[in-house]
Amino acid sequence: MIRAKKSLGQNFLHSSSALKAIVGAGSLSAKDTVLEIGPGEGALTKLLLATGAKVVAVEKDDRLIPILEETFAEEIKTKKFVLVHADVLDFDGKKYAIKAGAYTLIANIPYYLTGLIFRQFIGGAVPPIRAVLLVQHEVAKRVVARDGKESILSLSIKAFGTPRIVAKVPRTAFRPAPNVDSAVLAIDAIHDGGFAKKEKDVFFDVLHAGFAHKRKKALSNLKELFPKEKVTHAFATLALPENTRAEDISLADWESIAKFL
């Protein structure tokens, strides 16, 4: 049995119900391609391959490569399973026929990589059609904004897809057990956000400016970066009260504010 590496943020999932929940959320069939990040010892990979889908798995840990090669030797031979020994942050999907909107992203990723994975894939140049990720339970709740309060994270995800919590996964479902509970987070109907050239950068500049100081109102935050008259005009046109906080502004209104500015 391989010992989890703390330096890689590894926690191996061993709960059969959680593994099945991840695969089920992927809605996979034999015609699909899956990009699996961090296959570990292959528990999730087995279930993904059982759907008939082709699986391209990216694994960084040297120790796990020979185990995966042995376990899935037949699938490697038939090219249903492609094993890539690399850091996913350096992964070039084009080399493995990973095309925008033509694959499903499935990952049990170290918590510290969550934001980077969102930026690289969900809002990146080659987005999947769907993503199913294991993330901290608190992060999943922030993404779907169950309390009605938005955040930079929730708005960044919702700009490109529709997030939902599939299942809560207790910390005891992992080896070793992390300090917090997790959740299976699915992001469906992923798209490019409909941003024209340069619009994406402006949208995120506006979003970050609006949330810059938590205690300040969104209008005051935005005035620090953008012309006062433009910001005031945007709020008036959208019928947003000047004392509105950033967390209470919808995605649609943030997109409109960005266009005004």
Side-chain angles (χ1 to χ4, degrees), residues 13-122:
L13 182 64
H14 59 73
S15 164
S16 60
S17 60
L19 291 166
K20 288 176 183 176
I22 293 170
V23 177
S27 301
L28 301 169
S29 69
K31 63 182 181 181
D32 294 318
T33 296
V34 175
L35 174 59
E36 183 187 9
I37 301 175
E41 297 173 305
L44 178 58
T45 311
K46 286 180 183 177
L47 296 183
L48 293 174
L49 286 166
T51 67
K54 176 183 177 179
V55 178
V56 178
V58 184
E59 178 56 59
K60 182 179 181 180
D61 192 342
D62 302 356
R63 304 169 303 159
L64 294 168
I65 298 301
I67 293 173
L68 292 166
E69 287 176 335
E70 181 179 351
T71 302
F72 301 107
E74 188 58 35
E75 289 83 355
I76 289 172
K77 190 182 298 182
T78 59
K79 298 184 179 179
K80 289 296 287 183
F81 181 60
V82 178
L83 180 59
V84 182
H85 184 193
D87 185 328
V88 72
L89 299 180
D90 301 321
F91 175 70
D92 182 0
K94 293 177 183 177
K95 293 181 180 179
Y96 304 95
I98 297 296
K99 300 176 182 178
Y103 72 99
T104 297
L105 175 67
I106 293 185
N108 173 16
I109 51 177
Y111 293 144
Y112 72 88
L113 284 179
T114 301
L116 293 171
I117 296 300
F118 283 155
R119 286 193 292 275
Q120 181 171 339
F121 291 98
I122 310 304

Side-chain angles (χ1 to χ4, degrees), residues 159-236:
F160 299 104
T162 306
R164 61 188 171 92
I165 295 177
V166 176
K168 183 178 180 180
V169 182
R171 63 198 75 185
T172 53
F174 297 87
R175 174 180 60 80
N179 296 324
V180 295
D181 293 328
S182 299
V184 179
L185 177 71
I187 305 169
D188 299 310
I190 295 173
H191 51 82
D192 63 6
F195 294 107
K197 191 175 182 181
K198 294 185 180 179
E199 275 188 0
K200 186 191 293 187
D201 291 340
V202 174
F203 171 73
F204 282 104
D205 285 345
V206 169
L207 203 58
H208 282 274
F211 280 87
H213 306 289
K214 196 170 183 180
R215 293 184 180 181
K216 282 188 176 183
K217 305 298 188 288
L219 186 75
S220 300
N221 282 333
L222 289 168
K223 284 178 181 177
E224 292 185 10
L225 191 62
F226 299 96
K228 179 181 177 180
E229 62 278 6
K230 278 193 172 185
V231 177
T232 304
H233 175 65
F235 272 62

